[in-house]
Amino acid sequence: YQTRFALKLIPSVILLMLSVPVDETAQPGCKLPRLNIKGYTRGGDIIVGGIFPLNYQTYQEDFSFTKMPNYIFCEKIKFRVYRWLQGMVFAVDKINRNQILLPNITLGFAIYDSCGPTAKTIEGTMWLVTGQEEPNPNYRCQHSTPLAAVIGDAGSLKSIAVAEMLGLYYYPQISYASSVGLLSDKSKFPSFFRTIPSDDFQSLGLSRLVMHFGWTWVGLLAEDSDYGRQGIRMLREEILKAGGCVAFYETIPLSYTQTIISHIVGVIKNSIANAIVVFSNEPFLIPLLEEVTQQNVTGKIWVASEGWSLSSVFSREEFLQTLSGSIGIMTYKGEIPGFQEFLYGFHPSKFPDDIFIKKFWEQAFACKWPETITSQVFNIQVSRDIKLCTGEEKLNELNNIFVDASSLRITYNVYNAVYAVAYALHDLHSCKPGEGPFLNRTCASIHEFEPWQLLHYVKNVHFKDTEGKDVFFDENGNPPPMYDILNWQMTEDGSLKYVKVGSFDFSAPKGQDLIIQENAIMWNGGQTEIPHSVCSESCLPGFRKAAHEGKPVCCFDCIPCSPGEISNQTDSTECQKCPDDHWSNKKQDECIPKTIEFLSYEEPMGATLATISISIALTPVTILLLFIKHRDTAIVKANNRELSYLLLLALVLGFLCSLIFIGHPSTWTCVLRQVAFGIIFALCVSCVLAKTIMVVIAFNATKPNSNLKKWVGAKLPNSIVFVCTVIQVIICIAWLSSSPPFPEHNMQSQIGMIIIECNQGSSTAFWCVLGYMGLLAIISFIVAFLARNLPDSFNEAKFITFSMLVFVSVWLAFIPAYLSTQGKYMVAVEIFAILASSAGLLGCIFFPKCYIILLRPDINTKEYLMGKGAF
Ligand code: TRP
């Protein structure tokens, strides 16, 4: 009756542990002492194995070896895990009742509690594989009841060990909770499947979650196992890739060590990182979180991996302060029709073969079954008031997570795992001979199949679950990754509830994969604003990040952008230069067009200068009229009337030419400005020069025998004026033909402004024009100076000297002023020089004459002027 397995090389470790002679006639003395395994079994045509971490491990074994080390103390049932276990029982029942799925075949099960060390789990697996309480490796000695598959274990640590062993025989193993990425490796774990997504996705999901809330400075804690370390490694990579930083990374020891725990709590306390992602399973985390609560560390956001995000331990009141507001990631929840009723109707009388049920009952209702008491007489005496279990207790009146089927997640995974096995068996059963997948198109028999044959069907299983979602395994044995995001919220009655605040679906298109309802989240301390967890607060627009050398990128200073540069996003690493015609605004988060500057008529300075020049221009006009009116008086006639008229006209033009300097520069105003200015002033100064020369000539001509007499008259002054002006005209023509002035947008010379100015084209030409004018002025100055003392009453040389002095000094002062100003002020300086020098000429030469004409008509006679010279 022995079914022989394909003989395989069994790892020597297992052999050593379990080696029992295969022979039936083995001597009792050959038997190793410790194997005596009990589980929860139910017979059937095919057995499905189950491994659940049902009990808490309450004590450590005594390893003093003064006696044989006892069994591990596993005597406190985890209600939640017991619900998972019942999920399997329920699923098997349901499949058996289903007429379509596996008709005429009943499934049985064998469930093992994996509480304790990993070795115990291997032992349990051995029990499942061999079907014997005293397992003989490689033999399965039961009446044609093949083991189909094993459902379990929960924790990755043990699942790996189980998978290692089951892989040897190619028994399909479907875990409902082991998520470590390592188990995706099919070359190592060829027969492993799971109904929980791989941690590769969980890490990705957690990193997206962390980045979503802008937590760039996060602490990481990992259980010191493949599950924790691998999960955190992936998470860390993803966080770094997304631009976040890791504030600290600590591993939580698997066996309680006070010094390490204190150290970790110290690190958490001293770090400014508020977000702490913990990749761990519940048992290892308990001591750490107890210490955290004791030291009153609050205000942290705990981000939980699925290993502890629904753990009932942490909903105890003592943890509320610390843990409320936490965020957890968890597989999605599913509905199992009829399961709630099944749990409510759960009773020891219905499941007599359930070896755990009585203990569960005692624990749930805090009572004792009479039969357990009799064996513990001692106990009664200690506690007389012990409550006896009657069997009348009502589970539905109990507030116990065992009966809470409102949020089935792992239970749902268990349920789907059992169904996957059933569907695979069904497919195997429905194989039509001649169309089978195996060698020569053969099929496997449902009553006698090899484990690897079922494995073939499990790999390809595909069905719809009760939610309508597709259940299948990808090439690595993983289900489609989908998660819910839960928020731990404190309710009014002071308990903790898990509120779904989002989901994470990797099959959804990018951008829609992570959905979070932020307003549904309640953070630690009841706050509704997203808490911060950053090394440096982010830089506002207008600033850029400056990294600290040797520190993570998330720690930085914010440095304001330099003028003319902007940053328009928070946390920019660099400031951008504004385009040439733009400048940064005050906040330096925007480039604004530069203000355009030129001397316009609208602005006060332009308007004032324009009014001044127009009103001053009226003065020479008035004087001209006055002179014309009094053209026959001595003083007008004496001083070369025509030249005076010309000079006055030139001065009018001179004053008015400052108007061309005001207003938006255009090509023609730029040209006109300098040319008009140069020629008009050359005209003015040459008039003055002509006048002075005429004074000298006139004086000398009065001397006897002077041959200068022929020069007296209008010819000479006219030609002087003409020649001197024409020279300036020639200079100007040369200038215009070589490189004429043109308007230009000057963006560099002044911050934040575009200056529209006239480029002189050739500045040499400009200075030539000015220089020529100066030359004329200096000549007339010298001549006038020499003639100043000629004894003649109509001698105006003194006034001309003075006027030229004013003229030359104005233009000398102009040079430095002109060179040191910019933009519109430069133009204003030039206008000012024009006005001042013209006014100087006007004032010095004409005012004394006007004085005589208007106020002293008595001396305005030829006699007086010629004779007494009192003037
Ligand atoms: N994912 C965990 C691991 O691989 C196991 C796990 C997930 C678990 N959820 C759980 C264990 C709930 C116990 C309870 O190790």
Side-chain angles (χ1 to χ4, degrees):
Y1 60 87
Q2 281 181 343
T3 320
R4 256 210 97 136
F5 292 106
L7 189 67
K8 288 270 146 63
L9 257 183
I10 298 177
S12 49
V13 187
I14 299 171
L15 263 178
L16 261 176
M17 260 177 39
L18 306 167
S19 62
V20 178
V22 174
D23 196 3
E24 281 165 75
T25 57
Q27 305 286 310
C30 306
K31 195 192 124 208
L32 295 179
R34 52 176 294 146
L35 301 175
N36 182 17
I37 302 166
K38 284 255 164 353
Y40 173 16
T41 53
R42 184 182 301 167
D45 299 325
I46 297 164
I47 300 291
V48 181
I51 306 179
F52 293 89
L54 185 60
N55 281 292
Y56 289 102
Q57 181 181 339
T58 38
Y59 304 101
Q60 288 289 329
E61 245 167 314
D62 172 15
F63 285 123
S64 64
F65 296 109
T66 47
K67 58 180 198 289
M68 181 169 146
N70 203 349
Y71 274 95
I72 297 87
F73 294 86
C74 289
E75 45 194 28
K76 212 173 143 219
I77 288 181
K78 299 181 200 164
F79 293 135
R80 183 168 164 224
V81 179
Y82 196 48
R83 165 154 46 80
W84 303 349
L85 190 153
Q86 294 306 331
M88 175 164 173
V89 175
F90 179 76
V92 169
D93 271 352
K94 206 165 164 188
I95 292 162
N96 284 342
R97 269 184 277 123
N98 190 329
Q99 293 304 318
I100 304 159
L101 188 61
L102 287 177
N104 303 328
I105 287 170
T106 37
L107 288 184
F109 56 75
I111 295 171
Y112 178 69
D113 169 21
S114 65
C115 164
T118 311
K120 291 282 298 168
T121 311
I122 295 175
E123 194 182 59
T125 313
M126 221 43 223
W127 169 71
L128 291 175
V129 168
T130 61
Q132 289 177 311
E133 281 183 18
E134 295 179 17
N136 292 347
N138 289 350
Y139 285 85
R140 182 171 174 84
C141 312
Q142 261 176 1
H143 293 282
S144 56
T145 44
L147 173 71
V150 174
I151 311 292
D153 191 0
S156 298
L157 199 63
K158 293 189 180 160
S159 280
I160 290 173
V162 173
E164 212 83 72
M165 184 153 165
L166 291 182
L168 196 63
Y169 301 106
Y170 301 116
Y171 271 113
Q173 175 191 359
I174 306 179
S175 171
Y176 46 85
S178 299
S179 50
V180 69
L182 186 70
L183 283 167
S184 296
D185 184 350
K186 286 304 99 168
S187 62
K188 272 195 189 131
F189 308 102
S191 66
F192 182 83
F193 301 87
R194 52 185 156 198
T195 47
I196 188 168
S198 157
D199 279 343
D200 294 353
F201 297 103
Q202 183 174 191
S203 300
L204 203 65
L206 284 172
S207 78
R208 291 280 303 276
L209 192 72
V210 164
M211 295 327 282
H212 174 88
F213 291 117
W215 299 327
T216 50
W217 193 238
V218 280
L220 304 178
L221 296 179
E223 158 189 316
D224 194 7
S225 71
D226 289 316
Y227 169 65
R229 273 184 266 117
Q230 223 181 15
I232 286 288
R233 172 154 37 81
M234 267 286 279
L235 174 63
R236 184 195 176 111
E237 275 166 20
E238 291 298 327
I239 287 179
L240 294 182
K241 227 194 279 172
C245 300
V246 173
F248 58 84
Y249 169 43
E250 298 290 335
T251 43
I252 306 166
L254 293 188
S255 49
Y256 175 75
T257 325
Q258 180 57 40
T259 47
I260 300 179
I261 296 286
S262 310
H263 165 75
I264 298 177
V265 176
V267 170
I268 294 174
K269 250 170 122 176
N270 293 332
S271 173
I272 58 161
N274 286 328
I276 302 166
V277 187
V278 188
F279 235 100
S280 175
N281 280 309
E282 166 200 273
F284 316 111
L285 199 55
I286 297 173
L288 177 76
L289 285 184
E290 274 172 351
E291 181 77 22
V292 166
T293 346
Q294 222 165 50
Q295 297 206 18
N296 228 349
V297 184
T298 52
K300 303 277 177 191
I301 317 133
W302 297 85
V303 182
S305 71
E306 39 65 72
W308 66 287
S309 63
L310 275 181
S311 176
S312 53
V313 179
F314 299 119
S315 53
R316 289 206 309 252
E317 212 179 318
E318 49 176 303
F319 291 114
L320 274 185
Q321 277 299 323
T322 346
L323 292 182
S324 70
S326 296
I327 299 276
I329 195 166
M330 195 62 205
T331 53
Y332 67 93
K333 91 179 185 198
E335 223 40 80
I336 304 178
F339 190 57
Q340 182 68 78
E341 293 71 40
F342 170 85
L343 291 180
Y344 281 155
F346 191 70
H347 196 270
S349 60
K350 284 194 192 161
F351 301 97
D353 46 358
D354 185 342
I355 59 163
F356 308 113
I357 198 164
K358 290 214 158 146
K359 211 153 82 189
F360 161 74
W361 204 264
E362 287 185 349
Q363 212 177 303
F365 295 101
C367 63
K368 283 268 173 222
W369 291 105
E371 60 264 32
T372 48
I373 292 176
T374 41
S375 61
Q376 297 168 358
V377 188
F378 173 72
N379 259 354
I380 315 180
Q381 276 157 4
V382 176
S383 47
R384 272 173 213 285
D385 49 355
I386 205 157
K387 217 173 90 191
L388 291 185
C389 301
T390 58
E392 298 289 301
E393 294 86 356
K394 292 271 177 314
L395 264 178
N396 51 0
E397 285 164 12
L398 206 63
N399 185 15
N400 184 315
I401 49 166
F402 173 75
V403 277
D404 177 11
S406 63
S407 158
L408 300 173
R409 295 171 190 274
I410 301 285
T411 317
Y412 188 63
N413 288 349
V414 173
Y415 182 81
N416 276 342
V418 179
Y419 261 82
V421 174
Y423 275 106
L425 283 170
H426 184 83
D427 291 345
L428 182 143
H429 193 29
S430 348
C431 172
K432 295 204 177 67
E435 290 173 21
F438 305 114
L439 205 62
N440 302 330
R441 297 179 173 271
T442 50
C443 288
S445 147
I446 189 87
H447 298 291
E448 219 173 78
F449 57 87
E450 297 292 340
W452 54 264
Q453 288 177 316
L454 182 62
L455 197 58
H456 169 83
Y457 289 100
V458 174
K459 250 184 168 25
N460 299 316
V461 81
H462 196 131
F463 62 98
K464 282 211 186 313
D465 65 9
T466 54
E467 292 280 288
K469 289 204 172 92
D470 282 301
V471 179
F472 60 92
F473 303 107
D474 67 8
E475 67 274 23
N476 294 325
N478 296 323
M482 245 181 287
Y483 293 97
D484 279 352
I485 292 159
L486 306 173
N487 178 220
W488 305 17
Q489 298 185 357
M490 211 181 326
T491 55
E492 272 102 52
D493 60 343
S495 60
L496 202 63
K497 70 172 187 235
Y498 305 100
V499 180
K500 177 177 166 181
V501 292
S503 61
F504 201 55
D505 182 355
F506 281 86
S507 50
K510 253 217 148 27
Q512 289 162 33
D513 44 1
L514 178 68
I515 299 166
I516 294 182
Q517 287 129 15
E518 269 166 37
N519 43 10
I521 303 179
M522 218 152 76
W523 301 101
N524 193 291
Q527 122 196 38
T528 46
E529 223 174 87
I530 299 174
H532 282 205
S533 184
V534 290
C535 180
S536 307
E537 288 296 335
S538 63
C539 293
L540 295 174
F543 292 81
R544 70 173 175 85
K545 299 202 276 189
H548 288 295
E549 211 173 309
K551 285 235 189 121
V553 286
C554 304
C555 304
F556 47 80
D557 284 333
C558 293
I559 293 183
C561 290
S562 35
E565 294 189 345
I566 58 144
S567 64
N568 49 8
Q569 280 159 340
T570 39
D571 277 344
S572 1
T573 44
E574 226 137 321
C575 298
Q576 301 136 356
K577 246 191 151 69
C578 286
D580 267 353
D581 54 346
H582 281 66
W583 196 252
S584 51
N585 63 350
K586 249 220 173 93
K587 283 163 123 188
Q588 299 202 289
D589 55 357
E590 226 183 324
C591 283
I592 46 170
K594 287 181 177 173
T595 46
I596 291 181
E597 201 195 50
F598 60 89
L599 191 64
S600 78
Y601 284 108
E602 277 90 49
E603 64 177 302
M605 189 163 66
T608 322
L609 286 173
T611 352
I612 292 176
S613 53
I614 290 176
S615 38
I616 299 189
L618 291 178
T619 325
V621 174
T622 326
I623 296 175
L624 184 61
L625 293 178
L626 192 70
F627 268 42
I628 293 173
K629 195 179 162 211
H630 297 273
R631 64 182 172 280
D632 291 324
T633 56
I635 191 115
V636 179
K637 276 161 89 182
N639 285 308
N640 203 334
R641 202 164 47 192
E642 284 67 35
L643 266 184
S644 296
Y645 290 166
L646 191 60
L647 182 54
L648 282 169
L649 270 179
L651 284 175
V652 173
L653 291 178
F655 282 123
L656 290 181
C657 97
S658 61
L659 293 180
I660 326 173
F661 284 79
I662 307 173
H664 192 291
S666 64
T667 318
W668 75 270
T669 47
C670 277
V671 171
L672 204 60
R673 271 180 194 185
Q674 305 303 348
V675 173
F677 158 73
I679 294 173
I680 290 169
F681 273 78
L683 183 63
C684 283
V685 183
S686 50
C687 284
V688 174
L689 181 62
K691 264 175 174 283
T692 342
I693 292 174
M694 282 320 289
V695 169
V696 177
I697 289 176
F699 178 77
N700 289 325
T702 54
K703 285 183 184 155
N705 310 323
S706 168
N707 56 355
L708 282 172
K709 270 198 179 116
K710 58 175 184 249
W711 292 111
V712 181
K715 237 166 126 197
L716 180 68
N718 285 354
S719 33
I720 293 176
V721 169
F722 181 75
V723 171
C724 292
T725 314
V726 163
I727 293 175
Q728 183 74 305
V729 171
I730 291 168
I731 297 177
C732 286
I733 289 173
W735 181 4
L736 294 193
S737 51
S738 61
S739 52
F742 56 90
E744 185 187 50
H745 290 206
N746 180 344
M747 306 189 190
Q748 265 67 46
S749 66
Q750 221 161 354
I751 285 173
M753 283 186 191
I754 301 179
I755 302 168
I756 304 185
E757 59 185 10
C758 285
N759 186 314
Q760 306 296 20
S762 145
S763 48
T764 336
F766 174 69
W767 291 114
C768 277
V769 168
L770 271 190
Y772 176 67
M773 211 174 73
L775 183 72
L776 288 183
I778 287 169
I779 294 173
S780 34
F781 171 72
I782 294 169
V783 177
F785 183 75
L786 295 176
R788 75 189 184 286
N789 286 329
L790 295 182
D792 194 340
S793 308
F794 63 75
N795 183 2
E796 59 177 345
K798 261 182 251 170
F799 303 115
I800 291 177
T801 319
F802 201 59
S803 72
M804 283 300 111
L805 202 58
V806 172
F807 188 88
V808 172
S809 30
V810 165
W811 286 103
L812 281 181
F814 163 77
I815 295 170
Y818 182 77
L819 291 178
S820 60
T821 47
Q822 252 171 354
K824 60 180 184 187
Y825 300 101
M826 202 167 177
V827 180
V829 164
E830 199 167 348
I831 293 176
F832 196 75
I834 291 173
L835 293 182
S837 58
S838 320
L841 287 189
L842 187 67
C844 295
I845 297 175
F846 291 101
F847 282 0
K849 296 193 178 93
C850 292
Y851 170 77
I852 291 176
I853 292 171
L854 292 174
L855 301 174
R856 300 287 304 270
D858 53 317
I859 58 168
N860 192 359
T861 59
K862 193 178 175 187
E863 294 72 35
Y864 185 81
L865 292 176
M866 297 273 284
K868 287 94 211 167
F871 172 59

